[in-house]
Amino acid sequence: MSESSYNDLYPEQREADRLAALRSFRILDTEPESFFDEIARIAAHICNAPIGLISFVDEHRQWFKAAYGTELRETPRELSICTHTIRQPGLLVIPDLRKDFRFKNNPLLDVEPRISFYAGIPLRTKEGLPLGTLCVLDYKARRRGLMDQQAQALQGLARAVLNQLHLKHSDRALAEAETFKQHLLASCGECIAVLDLDLRLLSMNENGMRAMEMENLDSIKGRSWASFFAAQGAEEAAQAMKSARTGSIGRYKGFCPTHSGTPKWWDIVVTPIMNDAGEPQSLLCVLRDITELKRAEDDLRQSEGRFRTLVDVMPLSFLSPQAVWFSDLNGGFTYCNEYWYDYTGLERDRRNSHGWASILHPSRRDDALSLLKEAFSKENSFEVEIPIRRASDDTYRWFIVRGQPLRNEAGEIEQWFGIAMDIHERKQSEEALRDSEERLQLALKAAHMVAWEFNPTTRRTKRSENSLSLFGIAARHDVEIFETVHPADRPKIQHFFDRIEIYGSDSVECRIVLPTGHLRWVRARAEKAGPDRIVGVTVDITDHKEAEEEIWRAANHDPLTGLPNRSLFLRRLEMALFNARQNGTSVSLLMIDLDDFKDINDTLGHDAGDALLKETAVRLSSMVRDCDTVARLGGDEFALLVVEPLKLENSTRLGALILETLRQPFTYQKRTLVSRVSIGVAAFPDHDGEPAELMKDADIALYQAKSQGRNQVVTYSPDMRRVTEKRVSLVRSLREAIFNHEIVPFYQPKICLSTGKIAGFEALARWRHPTRGMLTPETFGAAFEDHELASEIGKLLMSIVVTDLRQWLDDDLPFGRVALNLSPAEFIQPGMVDNMLRTLDWIKVPPKFLEVEVTERVLLGRNPDNVSKMLREFRQHDIHVALDDFGTGYASLTHLKQFPVNHIKIDRSFVQNLENDPDDEAIIAAVIGLGKSLKLQVTAEGVETFGQAQRLHNLGCDHVQGYFYAKPVPACEVPALLAQWNQKLIHPRPARQALLQAC
């Protein structure tokens, strides 16, 4: 295969991912390994093959990691057989390479000794990327390929190869991670130590050993971490370690001298090292030497101590001055300290030229000057708060200015002395507090909240001003704290205050009655602030309560119909059954399903479907008592819960009444809609007593109502459960059979009555059961009611049949067309025709060798237009369409006109009594005549006697099928059957010869 064609099959991105995954395992061009060599030898031995290979495919070649039975080490990728294997989801078996068109020109097949047989399985990663193959080769062709046990063993060995690759990859990653960790620790300048959870030293990096002046790790390994440090700070260290052992990060400072006794202080950060379960398994300590920083802190602390001592001996008024000023009697500054000059911008050499007016901010100058004038006029010590301009940015800050008159011996004021302290932050805090109080009042009003204070001894209450507007309660002291509480909730209030006395705080929800008579929900929260003081807030939560109720309703009710949903219904069912068991009463459960709901949605739209659901809900609700429950469980499924005193027979009669009521038509947008339903009934104590089991009983009864024709009421019986469980068990077993490829086609020939030759085959499903042998659809046909399962069986049969056709074409067998039965489930699968055509194209089988058979059940399905479209697509691609079981339906002639049919098959029920029943003969004659008029082929099924065959020939039937000619056979017997049949045509038996002569 050329590289360009290979890339067509593997998109560029997918191939890039595959090659990247292959290189990540570092397996290419490595030395031979006994493990892989042994796997190749075992594979060859199990499969009785002389050659076993383990290979990996890169962009240019196929390289052999292990080669048993050959010296070959690699091949060009374009010549490799394994490039086809890695495209397969599973095992690829090529019975004869020389007959496979893909390898006819492959030069590797001409190398002596020549290989003929190949079986390989792709080696896929967990992400599904193929790295290479495990394969075996033989010099002889094998028509039967591999036995199941050999195929399973080959799959197991492939998994072992992949497990070994992943193991080597993981070991390499661990080793690289460990090397990286060691380099990281060695390059780190800090001291790094690892402790176990008992705080014993496990390891320390080299920088740490040097910082600690330790010679080797063995001398300190295993020592308690606390033994390195002085006792001071032990509590802080213990708390840090506790935090780390619980998954957090701890930090502390500790004194730990070096091994030689050098005193050192350390800043230690403790981090947990987690295991795979996310739990701490050890602790990582990173130590930073802060000895110099600690020494600087100590020096600073000593300096601060000396300063504090100096301040303590100063006069009290000089403890913390920020500015010192002296002024004359007129207010002109005579001296200021440096801070005052720097802040105000006054010129130091013009002391008497500036007064208070020059340092006040213009925005507040007049008010400040008035305060100062009044203060100086009293000729006593004073204290005022004024804004003083800051020269650097022309803003102002608030200062408290204190002044003291300095008098002479005569008591006359000579000058003023004072200090100015910056109180701007305090002033801002006071303003912020006032603003905060205003915002609090606004917030209380916006949040529908009232703040209050209560004295339990005097019973006096204070409330915020908004209490009257919110709750109609005056703010005066003589109003009772909760006088408007609803009488039913007053016990809650007493309990509320009792809990506050005991626990210090509590909250309560209750209703209050407004002066208008309306009810509001409130929540009060309070705590004890003193012996006779309780403070709290009361919040209006009416909207919250209404929202909670709406949320509860939304969570428990169907939004379309307003009925309880499945969740609420199950809780009510559980409670009803509990009460019934306690009181000895009964509970009935009716499961109701609309029969034609999808048709209404498809034809009239979802609006009409919604209208039907709402009308159904209204009618059901009108038929029950308040103690009963009607619920919508989902889609078009409803449930009705009927409690005592009604018994099972009453519920059955109620079901019949529901049928009649819902059948009454109603009008939607000028269209008349009619609803028909199927109902399943189950009851306690007649049936199960657990909610889930009773629901299952009713569902089983509903299923029976559907399967028996719909529009009826069916009461559950234990026999129904046994039938259902048998069906479920059958479905489960069939799923396993599909997985194990136990569903296989058998082929029954179709005989041309005019020539006696085999004109084709019909592929019939068989189940190769591991214990019961070969089973026909009569045993497992009920499983086809499961659409998903039927579709899976159809896909499996299709792939096997097309593979068989390819083999027969390679063997030049004249098998004609092969008919494949399609179930109704396959016609609802999107892209079904395209999938079949892709399968035919992939395996290189021309469509003209395939025929599909459909029954009237398919044609009468919910979407006949879609079915007709699919059948036309079959016809366009030269795949014939056969109408099976013709004559058993009531609209067969209509189908022949409406649908593109090539072939009609007369049902075996008419052929069985052909020799004895003139009516059957008349029907067959009419069908044959109809087929000839419409130029359709006619085949009669179920031919078991010579007389039946002879009459069909006389009536002009084209083809016949039945045990008279041959029973269905597996694919491997078809070549022999064709050979024997052709031989019999040359030397026919007497009876067959007579039939041929009649032809």
Side-chain angles (χ1 to χ4, degrees):
M1 173 177 286
S2 68
E3 185 175 349
S4 61
S5 62
Y6 185 87
N7 288 334
D8 291 339
L9 297 171
Y10 273 84
E12 182 177 351
Q13 184 61 40
R14 180 70 170 174
E15 177 66 358
D17 292 343
R18 189 189 74 80
L19 292 174
L22 176 60
R23 293 190 181 98
S24 69
F25 284 96
R26 302 183 189 176
I27 191 69
L28 291 175
D29 299 315
T30 56
E31 292 296 323
E33 295 180 59
S34 59
F35 175 85
F36 295 100
D37 292 340
E38 187 63 13
I39 291 292
R41 186 192 68 79
I42 293 173
H45 177 71
I46 290 174
C47 297
N48 297 324
I51 299 175
L53 300 173
I54 297 175
S55 66
F56 298 92
V57 181
D58 64 15
E59 57 263 65
H60 301 298
R61 59 173 177 160
Q62 175 186 7
W63 177 78
F64 300 105
K65 173 63 179 176
Y68 174 78
T70 179
E71 296 298 322
L72 196 62
R73 281 295 170 259
E74 65 179 44
T75 62
R77 178 171 172 171
E78 59 269 17
L79 301 180
S80 168
I81 302 173
C82 291
T83 57
H84 297 269
T85 305
I86 63 175
R87 300 198 311 269
Q88 300 294 319
L91 182 66
L92 173 64
V93 177
I94 305 176
D96 191 342
L97 290 166
R98 304 181 183 285
K99 291 185 177 181
D100 194 307
F101 70 97
R102 295 171 291 184
F103 309 106
K104 287 184 178 180
N105 298 321
N106 193 321
L108 290 180
L109 301 185
D110 297 325
V111 177
E112 294 293 336
R114 299 182 178 183
I115 57 173
S116 294
F117 170 79
Y118 172 91
I121 186 166
L123 302 174
R124 292 186 180 275
T125 66
K126 298 175 182 177
E127 295 76 21
L129 297 171
L131 307 178
T133 65
L134 169 63
C135 66
V136 296
L137 301 100
D138 199 346
Y139 302 123
K140 298 179 181 179
R142 299 186 185 182
R143 187 160 192 165
R144 296 183 180 273
L146 294 179
M147 295 185 293
D148 290 346
Q149 295 86 346
Q150 293 172 327
Q152 293 171 4
L154 209 57
Q155 292 172 346
L157 292 173
R159 287 193 294 271
V161 171
L162 281 171
N163 290 339
Q164 182 69 7
L165 287 177
H166 285 290
L167 180 60
K168 291 167 67 66
H169 187 274
S170 300
D171 290 342
R172 185 168 57 252
L174 288 174
E176 291 173 352
E178 181 62 25
T179 302
F180 176 80
K181 183 185 77 172
Q182 295 300 329
H183 286 308
L184 182 63
L185 290 176
S187 64
C188 180
E190 306 289 355
C191 174
I192 299 178
V194 179
L195 313 179
D196 62 17
L197 295 182
D198 293 327
L199 306 185
R200 291 189 297 269
L201 181 66
L202 298 178
S203 65
M204 182 179 290
N205 67 341
E206 293 181 2
N207 288 331
M209 297 291 291
R210 285 193 294 269
M212 289 285 194
E213 299 181 351
M214 301 290 184
E215 295 183 0
N216 59 75
L217 179 63
D218 293 335
S219 63
I220 59 174
K221 188 173 182 180
R223 282 180 55 184
S224 170
W225 187 245
S227 65
F228 292 94
F229 291 85
Q232 61 186 105
E235 183 177 349
E236 182 183 3
Q239 183 60 40
M241 294 298 180
K242 181 179 179 181
S243 297
R245 282 189 287 192
T246 58
S248 302
I249 297 177
R251 186 170 186 172
Y252 70 100
K253 293 180 177 61
F255 176 76
C256 174
T258 66
H259 187 67
S260 64
T262 304
K264 281 193 176 184
W265 278 88
W266 305 86
D267 181 18
I268 302 104
V269 177
V270 189
T271 306
I273 300 175
M274 302 296 187
N275 59 20
D276 292 340
E279 300 172 346
Q281 65 177 6
S282 55
L283 305 179
L284 178 69
C285 297
V286 180
L287 296 84
R288 184 168 61 91
D289 188 350
I290 59 170
T291 305
E292 293 302 322
L293 179 62
K294 186 71 174 178
R295 185 175 295 114
E297 289 179 349
D298 291 341
D299 293 342
L300 179 61
R301 192 177 298 108
Q302 292 174 6
S303 176
E304 289 178 349
R306 289 192 294 270
F307 174 76
R308 290 180 182 277
T309 302
L310 180 61
V311 171
D312 288 341
V313 300
M314 292 177 62
L316 183 62
S317 61
F318 291 88
L319 279 176
S320 55
Q322 292 193 18
V324 177
W325 58 268
F326 287 85
S327 75
D328 58 21
L329 295 179
N330 297 321
F333 293 116
T334 58
Y335 171 80
C336 300
N337 66 352
E338 291 298 318
Y339 172 80
W340 194 245
Y341 285 126
D342 291 339
Y343 182 85
T344 62
L346 297 177
E347 297 179 22
R348 292 171 175 79
D349 57 349
R350 298 177 59 188
R351 296 179 179 176
N352 295 329
S353 63
H354 296 292
W356 290 99
S358 65
I359 65 172
L360 295 174
H361 196 273
S363 65
R364 304 205 179 194
R365 181 176 295 157
D366 293 340
D367 292 339
L369 286 174
S370 296
L371 287 174
L372 288 169
K373 182 179 180 180
E374 183 182 356
F376 280 114
S377 67
K378 294 179 180 180
E379 299 184 351
N380 290 315
S381 301
F382 67 84
E383 182 178 289
V384 295
E385 296 178 1
I386 57 174
I388 298 179
R389 181 181 57 84
R390 182 163 58 185
S392 62
D393 56 6
D394 202 34
T395 61
Y396 71 87
R397 291 177 67 83
W398 283 92
F399 280 74
I400 182 170
V401 178
R402 296 189 178 97
Q404 179 72 31
L406 298 178
R407 301 178 187 272
N408 58 19
E409 293 179 355
E412 297 174 344
I413 299 177
E414 291 185 339
Q415 61 179 329
W416 289 85
F417 160 76
I419 61 173
M421 297 178 62
D422 189 331
I423 60 167
H424 194 72
E425 281 72 21
R426 191 200 77 188
K427 198 73 173 179
Q428 284 185 322
S429 298
E430 291 174 353
E431 292 178 356
L433 179 61
R434 286 192 296 271
D435 292 342
S436 176
E437 290 177 348
E438 292 178 3
R439 288 194 297 270
L440 176 60
Q441 293 299 324
L442 292 174
L444 289 173
K445 183 176 181 181
H448 287 246
M449 180 186 297
V450 172
W452 50 268
E453 184 176 321
F454 176 64
N455 187 323
T457 303
T458 63
R459 311 297 292 180
R460 292 174 65 83
T461 305
K462 290 190 292 184
R463 296 181 180 84
S464 55
E465 295 297 329
N466 61 334
S467 63
L468 181 62
S469 61
L470 285 181
F471 301 137
I473 306 173
R476 64 181 188 274
H477 293 265
D478 59 343
V479 178
E480 176 63 34
I481 178 68
F482 285 110
E483 70 171 2
T484 60
V485 170
H486 191 281
D489 292 343
R490 289 192 179 278
K492 290 184 180 180
I493 302 303
Q494 184 58 48
H495 193 42
F496 168 63
F497 283 112
D498 290 343
R499 289 196 301 271
I500 292 176
E501 287 296 326
I502 297 172
Y503 302 110
S505 65
D506 195 34
S507 62
V508 67
E509 293 183 0
C510 61
R511 293 163 294 173
I512 63 172
V513 183
L514 299 183
T516 59
H518 293 93
L519 289 178
R520 305 289 292 179
W521 274 96
V522 298
R523 178 188 293 116
R525 170 75 185 176
E527 61 181 29
K528 195 170 184 179
D532 293 317
R533 185 166 176 251
I534 296 175
V535 294
V537 292
T538 301
V539 186
D540 187 337
I541 60 169
T542 305
D543 292 342
H544 178 69
K545 282 288 186 181
E546 291 175 352
E548 282 184 346
E549 183 176 352
E550 184 60 31
I551 291 172
W552 180 90
R553 181 169 184 82
N556 291 276
H557 289 78
D558 173 48
L560 178 66
T561 63
L563 295 177
N565 61 14
R566 180 181 291 271
S567 176
L568 178 57
F569 180 79
L570 290 176
R571 293 200 298 274
R572 290 188 180 179
L573 174 61
E574 185 175 0
M575 182 57 66
L577 289 171
F578 175 81
N579 292 334
R581 284 192 292 268
Q582 294 291 319
N583 304 324
T585 55
S586 63
V587 174
S588 293
L589 177 61
L590 286 77
M591 301 294 287
I592 305 168
D593 190 84
L594 304 184
D595 289 335
D596 305 316
F597 182 69
K598 187 177 186 305
D599 291 340
I600 291 176
N601 268 345
D602 292 343
T603 56
L604 302 181
H606 288 278
D607 290 342
D610 290 347
L612 176 60
L613 292 173
K614 289 191 282 189
E615 179 66 20
T616 302
V618 170
R619 294 188 184 186
L620 289 174
S621 299
S622 67
M623 301 177 66
V624 300
R625 304 162 299 170
D626 292 340
C627 59
D628 300 327
T629 299
V630 178
R632 182 188 176 203
L633 303 185
D636 59 348
E637 187 178 8
F638 294 82
L640 178 57
L641 178 63
V642 181
V643 297
E644 54 94 16
L646 295 181
K647 302 296 183 182
L648 177 60
E649 56 271 19
N650 303 116
S651 300
T652 303
R653 287 195 293 272
L654 175 61
L657 182 60
I658 290 173
L659 283 182
E660 185 61 33
T661 302
L662 297 183
R663 196 162 33 226
Q664 301 303 315
F666 78 98
T667 302
Y668 172 74
Q669 293 185 352
K670 299 181 180 180
R671 291 178 177 269
T672 300
L673 302 181
V674 178
S675 173
R676 291 181 173 83
V677 298
S678 299
I679 302 176
V681 182
F684 170 82
D686 305 80
H687 306 128
D688 285 292
E690 293 299 321
E693 294 302 315
L694 192 62
M695 288 278 288
K696 189 181 296 184
D697 294 344
D699 273 330
I700 290 172
L702 176 61
Y703 176 83
Q704 289 295 320
K706 289 280 190 183
S707 63
Q708 292 176 11
R710 305 186 177 189
N711 193 32
Q712 58 184 294
V713 181
V714 173
T715 301
Y716 170 78
S717 69
D719 290 338
M720 294 179 186
R721 180 179 284 251
R722 285 190 289 272
V723 171
T724 300
E725 289 175 347
K726 183 178 179 181
R727 177 173 54 83
V728 171
S729 175
L730 175 61
V731 169
R732 187 185 307 113
S733 298
L734 267 176
R735 291 193 188 282
E736 294 179 1
I738 293 171
F739 180 80
N740 295 327
H741 287 247
E742 295 172 3
I743 305 300
V744 296
F746 270 45
Y747 298 92
Q748 186 174 36
K750 180 171 59 178
I751 311 302
C752 177
L753 282 176
S754 61
T755 65
K757 295 182 179 180
I758 293 179
F761 289 85
E762 179 180 0
L764 302 170
R766 293 292 185 268
W767 181 0
R768 188 184 290 115
H769 198 280
T771 59
R772 298 170 60 188
M774 196 65 67
L775 303 179
T776 66
E778 293 180 357
T779 307
F780 59 89
F784 283 91
E785 297 177 8
D786 186 316
H787 282 192
E788 181 182 355
L789 186 62
S791 179
E792 291 178 7
I793 293 174
K795 291 177 181 177
L796 176 60
L797 288 175
M798 175 65 187
S799 64
I800 298 174
V801 167
V802 175
T803 303
D804 290 341
L805 295 184
R806 181 65 265 169
Q807 182 64 52
W808 297 341
L809 288 171
D810 292 342
D811 293 342
D812 296 326
L813 297 179
F815 56 85
R817 284 187 187 265
V818 175
L820 184 66
N821 291 280
L822 298 183
S823 66
E826 293 176 86
F827 279 88
I828 63 175
Q829 298 297 319
M832 184 264 289
V833 178
D834 290 338
N835 291 336
M836 291 182 66
L837 291 173
R838 275 197 296 271
T839 301
L840 289 167
D841 182 62
W842 180 264
I843 306 180
K844 305 302 181 186
V845 173
K848 67 179 182 179
F849 291 105
L850 189 67
E851 180 178 68
V852 294
E853 291 191 10
V854 297
T855 64
E856 273 195 62
R857 182 183 175 188
V858 172
L859 305 185
L860 289 171
R862 294 180 179 269
N863 199 344
D865 292 337
N866 189 46
V867 173
S868 180
K869 177 183 176 182
M870 291 183 179
L871 296 182
R872 282 195 297 271
E873 290 179 12
F874 282 131
R875 281 281 295 272
Q876 290 169 3
H877 290 86
D878 202 20
I879 297 176
H880 281 192
V881 178
L883 183 56
D884 198 11
D885 301 337
F886 186 78
T888 59
Y890 65 88
S892 298
L893 298 180
T894 304
H895 296 159
L896 293 179
K897 179 181 178 182
Q898 180 182 357
F899 295 98
V901 176
N902 304 89
H903 185 185
I904 54 177
K905 302 187 75 173
I906 301 173
D907 188 66
R908 66 179 63 249
S909 60
F910 299 108
V911 177
Q912 287 176 350
N913 296 321
L914 175 60
E915 298 176 81
N916 304 316
D917 191 336
D919 293 337
D920 286 344
E921 184 173 357
I923 292 173
I924 292 174
V927 171
I928 293 172
L930 179 64
K932 291 186 179 296
S933 299
L934 297 177
K935 298 181 180 179
L936 302 176
Q937 292 184 13
V938 180
T939 298
E941 296 180 302
V943 178
E944 298 182 355
T945 67
F946 174 78
Q948 293 170 351
Q950 191 172 32
R951 284 178 180 267
L952 288 168
H953 175 265
N954 294 336
L955 291 173
C957 187
D958 297 319
H959 304 109
V960 289
Q961 254 179 274
Y963 284 4
F964 175 69
Y965 296 97
K967 293 183 177 181
V969 296
C972 60
E973 296 182 16
V974 168
L977 175 63
L978 288 170
Q980 293 171 4
W981 191 269
N982 292 334
Q983 186 66 25
K984 290 177 181 179
L985 287 176
I986 299 173
H987 304 289
R989 295 190 306 236
R992 192 175 302 275
Q993 184 175 13
L995 179 59
L996 293 176
Q997 289 175 351
C999 297

